[in-house]
Amino acid sequence: MSNPIDTTSLEELCHKAREGSAEAERKLIDLLSSDVQRIASSTFSEGLETEDLEQEGLIGLLEAIRDYDLTKNDSFRPFAILCIKRQIKSAQERMLRKKNQPLNDYVSLDLSPEEDGYDLSQILSVEKDNPEKLVLEDDARAELFHRIESLLSPLERQILFLKTQGYKGKDLAKILNITPKSVDNALQRIRKKLESV
């Protein structure tokens, strides 16, 4: 009979988790969740709440479990912390790209008709560049997000956020430490609630 999970090293837990032991994976996440919380709470990121950073850190921890090289003698914990920090940094960079998207899409006001085939009056006359319309669209978007947030439970909001980041059912269940059936049920509730938006 093998040793109980409680007395197993992080490296052994990782090995068992890689072999499909959900119990080992949960134990590993429990043991390192304080590291995830510490890193997330000590990280400032404009536009990302600490909870968002913790979710990203958990994703980094799951990636560490998946990518850890069991043939090396390196300790798992430093590798996991590196993956957690890397995932949080990646989330910060994605948020910064979104924040700076208007700057990335700007049109130079120094264009001449000879260079690009149109003049400044054509650029300014495009309806999408109408400041009033942009403000109204931003207000409508903010109102939509507020309505969605008020309709969904915290778990449903987490699932929706992770789903929009491209995570699938099994990954969602692992990240949130719930069953795949719970994820499916939550996704069905989200669909029904969003039909009214």
Side-chain angles (χ1 to χ4, degrees):
M1 187 169 163
S2 63
N3 292 339
I5 293 286
D6 290 337
T7 61
T8 309
S9 72
L10 294 178
E11 292 74 23
E12 291 174 280
L13 284 170
C14 183
H15 180 69
K16 290 180 180 182
R18 293 271 292 272
E19 289 182 337
S21 169
E23 182 185 356
E25 185 175 68
R26 273 193 300 277
K27 182 67 175 173
L28 207 49
I29 290 169
D30 288 344
L31 289 171
L32 294 173
S33 63
S34 61
D35 288 318
V36 172
Q37 291 167 351
R38 179 181 49 80
I39 294 166
S41 64
S42 66
T43 304
F44 172 75
S45 183
E46 189 176 338
L48 288 171
E49 302 285 331
T50 301
E51 290 175 355
D52 298 328
L53 295 172
E54 286 179 10
Q55 291 297 324
E56 292 292 338
L58 284 173
I59 293 167
L61 178 53
L62 289 172
E63 289 176 356
I65 294 169
R66 184 194 66 209
D67 296 340
Y68 180 66
D69 187 348
L70 300 167
T71 62
K72 292 185 176 177
N73 292 327
D74 297 334
S75 298
F76 175 74
R77 186 170 182 264
F79 177 74
I81 287 173
L82 177 68
C83 291
I84 291 164
K85 287 181 177 179
R86 190 179 302 150
Q87 183 65 32
I88 288 174
K89 184 173 175 27
S90 175
Q92 290 175 301
E93 289 170 354
R94 283 194 310 271
M95 182 57 71
L96 189 59
R97 277 196 302 272
K98 286 181 186 175
K99 180 183 170 192
N100 289 329
Q101 191 62 38
L103 295 176
N104 297 338
D105 293 340
Y106 86 100
V107 176
S108 171
L109 297 179
D110 294 330
L111 294 176
S112 66
E114 300 82 36
E115 285 178 21
D116 295 304
Y118 53 86
D119 62 24
L120 186 58
S121 63
Q122 289 175 313
I123 296 170
L124 295 177
S125 68
V126 176
E127 192 177 341
K128 74 172 184 165
D129 290 333
N130 179 335
E132 182 180 1
K133 183 176 180 187
L134 292 174
V135 168
L136 292 174
E137 286 174 356
D138 284 347
D139 288 347
R141 193 175 302 116
E143 175 63 25
L144 177 64
F145 287 139
H146 179 70
R147 286 176 59 201
I148 290 171
E149 189 174 53
S150 66
L151 285 172
L152 302 180
S153 71
L155 175 65
E156 291 166 349
R157 286 196 302 267
Q158 285 181 321
I159 289 174
L160 182 60
F161 170 77
L162 291 170
K163 190 81 171 152
T164 60
Q165 300 299 311
Y167 293 96
K168 306 281 187 234
K170 283 186 178 181
D171 293 332
L172 291 170
K174 284 182 181 179
I175 292 166
L176 298 171
N177 201 21
I178 58 176
T179 65
K181 181 68 176 164
S182 296
V183 171
D184 289 339
N185 290 340
L187 286 171
Q188 288 177 15
R189 288 194 307 273
I190 291 168
R191 282 187 198 102
K192 285 180 184 173
K193 289 178 180 181
L194 294 184
E195 284 173 3
S196 65
V197 175

